[in-house]
Amino acid sequence: MSDFELNRRGLIGAGLIGATMVGLAACDKATLAPGVSKADFAGAIKAMRGVVGDEWVFGDPEAVTPWKKNYIPDPEGRHVPVGAVAPKTVEEVQEIVRIANKYRQPIWPVSTGKNMGYGMATPATPGQIVLDLKRMNRILDVDPELGTALVEPGVTYQQLKDYLEENNIPLWIDVPTVGPIASPVGNTLERGVGYTPYGEHFTFQCGMEVVLPDGQVMRTGMGSIKGTTAWQAFKWGYGPYVDGLFTQSNFGIVTKMGMWLMPKPPVYKPFMIRHDDMADVPKIIEAMRPLRVSSLVANCNLMMSASYQLAMFKRRNEIVPDGRPLDDASVKKAAKANGLGMWNTYFALYGTEQTVAAIEPIIRAQLTASGGEVMTAAEMEGNPWFHHHATLMQGGLNLDEIGLLRWRGAGGGLAWFAPVAAAKGKEAEAQTKLARGILDKHGFDYTAAYAIGWRDLHHIIALLYDKSDREQEKKADACYRELVSTFGENGWASYRTGVNSMALVAEQYGQVNRDFNKLLKNAIDPNGVIAPGKSGIV
Ligand SMILES: Cc1cc2nc3c(=O)[nH]c(=O)nc-3n(C[C@H](O)[C@H](O)[C@H](O)COP(=O)(O)OP(=O)(O)OC[C@H]3O[C@@H](n4cnc5c(N)ncnc54)[C@H](O)[C@@H]3O)c2cc1C
């Protein structure tokens, strides 16, 4: 069985493909990219078959189905790929890029294609062929002394974790919440986050290999030095630092990526701080910020609203009857019954017996003064939410949060809205108020969390809807656009967005920035074949 088939079956098992098929059928109208004729497309498909073999090129609508599913609102069916191709080697990627240039056929690279809630493997504009790198899945190197790894794009977090365990290497990985099926390369290129002290993934990336749009291969950092032993040890190399250009962009295809791995600490102690009121937002942020800025708390905290937490394991109609707004009193009651507060903030201490014992009282004093109840494994034994976060914060893997897709109906609709703010209580308070107002107006719930970074907040709002309901999908689309626009007017733009809103968010970052990106794009990829529309760059 192919890994695609396996992967498909895995998702069917999780009830996800079935859930989204309803939405797919209605919006399945793949069209060719502007300027690409049927003959060009057919020529590109034929030439790609010559490179990777017939079985790894998918050119008719039915065969492309696994790459079409996505959870974001797409009422007009714009984000539908016309094909998929799955190379195994860097040389094959180079050939595919040359073919794309010859036929002017755009290709959309993905690593494992699990960009769930941002578009999965689907492209930003119609008519693209997904360049699926899942078959390039070798772990090329792990250096236990330096704590570094070099991986191909198709390597999953699960694979890397298994490798470390099987080889008895005492290093941790850092995972996003959907780690088992996602990839370090795809996640890092999106500048995604996880929850150990190595959670800011791009910060812990070191060295890349990139196939450029003209088919040449470039290595960044120390990677182009013959005989170097420092490709995964020293990030900056010499001259302009370019790795960032290949994140959230369409300037090249990353075929190898270096990353740093955290040494397993002797002591790991997870905490949850329970606050009982929605209005406690500013208190929590003001209490956490000094701990984060000083690195007394070293990992990215997740401050989870009760409604987000409930949506992981419950269905909405277990909390309020269908058709009724999700009121705070009902949420509070359900949260309390499950050992949760209205806000639940998770972090951990990592170190030795002595360092953890020294820091714990400082943290306890600070958070108790904010009105929070400090909970540890001793008090939260057997609580599935605590268990979930305690697993994540040590780089452990589970798919608990996939439950969000079942919160509302059977249709599996989810779009992440992720505006950034400075880590200040007043800002978070204002963002929460604004988000709740817009979501309420459109009939959706505030299922949200704050990821407290070092000095920033990622306000992570899960817009959950039923994708099998066409009217609800349209409403979700309108709601999402209003969130982006209104937050933008208040100085808050997203750190990352779905394929359905890339141009909208790029608008907010200004004309000069857009022109600069366009200048680079024209110079690097004059035929515009790599992922047109990514981050609003065409
Ligand atoms: C319930 C839930 C929880 C989630 N939790 C988190 C979380 O905690 N943290 C987080 O960051 N995300 C989270 N996500 C979002 C998302 O699922 C993850 O970020 C996931 O890692 C992205 O999928 P992927 O790794 O398969 O990347 P891919 O889908 O393979 O790649 C993402 C994008 O990066 C670009 N890209 C990928 N590979 C390449 C390449 N080799 N060369 C050039 N460009 C490339 C493409 O534009 C692609 O569309 C969550 C999603 C859900 C549904």
Side-chain angles (χ1 to χ4, degrees):
M1 198 187 301
S2 75
D3 42 0
F4 292 99
E5 199 47 36
L6 275 172
N7 181 32
R8 249 170 78 66
R9 289 190 181 198
L11 286 179
I12 288 168
L16 299 179
I17 288 188
T20 49
M21 286 310 228
V22 191
L24 271 181
C27 65
D28 188 2
K29 39 181 179 175
T31 47
L32 294 177
V36 175
S37 66
K38 275 190 181 165
D40 292 332
F41 174 67
I45 289 285
K46 186 170 173 217
M48 288 177 190
R49 289 200 161 119
V51 174
V52 297
D54 285 355
E55 72 270 42
W56 299 116
V57 181
F58 308 83
D60 61 81
E62 188 133 326
V64 183
T65 301
W67 292 270
K68 289 179 184 165
K69 64 177 181 286
N70 80 35
Y71 308 104
I72 55 175
D74 181 18
E76 280 160 30
R78 278 182 52 75
H79 306 288
V80 183
V82 282
V85 54
K88 181 78 181 157
T89 65
V90 178
E91 292 73 23
E92 288 178 1
V93 174
Q94 290 178 275
E95 277 310 306
I96 289 166
V97 167
R98 290 186 188 116
I99 292 166
N101 274 290
K102 179 171 172 197
Y103 293 97
R104 303 289 196 269
Q105 169 60 54
I107 50 179
W108 180 268
V110 300
S111 289
T112 39
K114 297 297 185 299
N115 209 6
M116 304 171 82
Y118 292 109
M120 292 287 278
T122 64
T125 59
Q128 305 202 37
I129 292 180
V130 178
L131 177 64
D132 189 326
L133 302 171
K134 220 183 273 125
R135 291 177 66 223
M136 295 175 67
N137 61 355
R138 290 176 304 159
I139 297 169
L140 298 165
D141 186 43
V142 172
D143 185 324
E145 287 159 348
L146 287 174
T148 62
L150 181 68
V151 297
E152 289 189 327
V155 170
T156 61
Y157 284 103
Q158 183 73 60
Q159 199 183 332
L160 190 52
K161 189 167 179 67
D162 291 348
Y163 178 91
L164 296 173
E165 281 173 9
E166 280 157 20
N167 292 284
N168 221 3
I169 298 172
L171 294 171
W172 277 1
I173 57 169
D174 183 283
V175 299
T177 320
V178 285
I181 52 176
S183 53
V185 174
N187 187 278
T188 303
L189 295 181
E190 279 292 85
R191 302 204 289 265
V193 295
Y195 309 101
T196 76
Y198 281 34
E200 172 83 62
H201 291 160
F202 184 50
T203 303
F204 293 92
Q205 173 271 334
C206 191
M208 286 178 185
E209 178 186 89
V210 187
V211 173
L212 297 172
D214 65 0
Q216 292 190 84
V217 174
M218 181 170 87
R219 289 187 172 184
T220 68
M222 303 304 289
S224 59
I225 302 297
K226 266 206 167 68
T228 185
T229 53
W231 191 20
Q232 272 60 70
F234 182 62
K235 283 163 73 86
W236 317 119
Y238 172 75
Y241 173 73
V242 296
D243 294 44
L245 288 178
F246 300 106
T247 67
Q248 293 194 3
S249 83
N250 48 15
F251 299 154
I253 296 156
V254 175
T255 45
K256 293 182 180 61
M257 190 191 81
M259 57 198 287
W260 292 344
L261 303 175
M262 178 177 162
K264 183 178 177 209
V267 174
Y268 162 68
K269 183 161 185 179
F271 291 81
M272 173 184 127
I273 313 301
R274 212 158 55 186
H275 282 84
D276 270 340
D277 227 309
M278 279 310 279
D280 287 336
V281 171
K283 285 191 215 162
I284 306 169
I285 306 279
E286 289 302 311
M288 287 309 307
R289 187 190 52 247
L291 301 175
R292 287 293 294 122
V293 172
S294 63
S295 288
L296 277 177
V297 169
N299 68 323
C300 169
N301 315 156
L302 268 180
M303 178 183 152
M304 310 283 293
S305 68
S307 44
Y308 187 128
Q309 298 254 268
L310 292 169
M312 287 163 55
F313 296 122
K314 311 257 173 221
R315 286 174 179 265
R316 191 179 190 277
N317 57 16
E318 292 175 57
I319 317 296
V320 290
D322 285 335
R324 240 185 58 191
L326 189 72
D327 61 289
D328 283 357
S330 304
V331 171
K332 199 171 201 165
K333 191 168 155 218
K336 206 167 174 150
N338 288 286
L340 301 168
M342 287 303 266
W343 289 102
N344 307 282
T345 307
Y346 297 89
F347 63 85
L349 294 180
Y350 306 82
T352 61
E353 293 287 354
Q354 293 94 325
T355 60
V356 169
I359 296 170
E360 186 170 342
I362 304 172
I363 284 164
R364 280 184 177 273
Q366 171 97 345
L367 294 166
T368 308
S370 77
E373 268 180 284
V374 179
M375 318 299 281
T376 65
E379 298 84 11
M380 299 301 287
E381 178 71 45
N383 181 290
W385 287 273
F386 186 83
H387 178 260
H388 167 75
H389 290 280
T391 304
L392 270 187
M393 293 189 295
Q394 55 181 315
L397 295 160
N398 65 49
L399 283 173
D400 289 346
E401 284 201 21
I402 295 284
L404 292 183
L405 292 161
R406 302 188 193 98
W407 175 242
R408 205 165 183 148
L414 161 63
W416 295 112
F417 173 55
V420 175
K424 300 215 169 148
K426 285 251 165 284
E427 269 199 57
E429 187 175 38
Q431 278 207 356
T432 301
K433 187 165 174 239
L434 187 61
R436 293 191 81 175
I438 297 169
L439 288 157
D440 273 357
K441 180 178 135 191
H442 290 269
F444 296 106
D445 305 326
Y446 178 70
T447 33
Y450 283 96
I452 310 177
W454 256 325
R455 289 162 174 81
D456 65 286
L457 303 173
H458 290 182
H459 190 177
I460 304 169
I461 301 169
L463 173 51
L464 300 174
Y465 68 101
D466 183 349
K467 197 169 161 98
S468 65
D469 177 338
R470 300 286 292 153
E471 282 314 303
Q472 221 181 95
E473 182 176 17
K474 280 188 205 158
K475 275 193 199 159
D477 188 52
C479 178
Y480 194 90
R481 284 169 198 287
E482 186 170 338
L483 283 165
V484 172
S485 307
T486 313
F487 270 68
E489 284 156 19
N490 285 273
W492 295 312
S494 303
Y495 92 97
R496 166 185 183 184
T497 199
V499 290
N500 56 346
S501 47
M502 289 187 163
L504 189 65
V505 171
E507 280 282 316
Q508 298 177 332
Y509 281 85
Q511 188 67 42
V512 177
N513 298 52
R514 287 202 303 282
D515 288 349
F516 182 72
N517 288 339
K518 179 77 184 145
L519 202 66
L520 290 178
K521 180 68 175 168
N522 287 344
I524 300 169
D525 183 11
N527 296 325
V529 290
I530 311 284
K534 178 74 187 178
S535 296
I537 310 166
V538 276

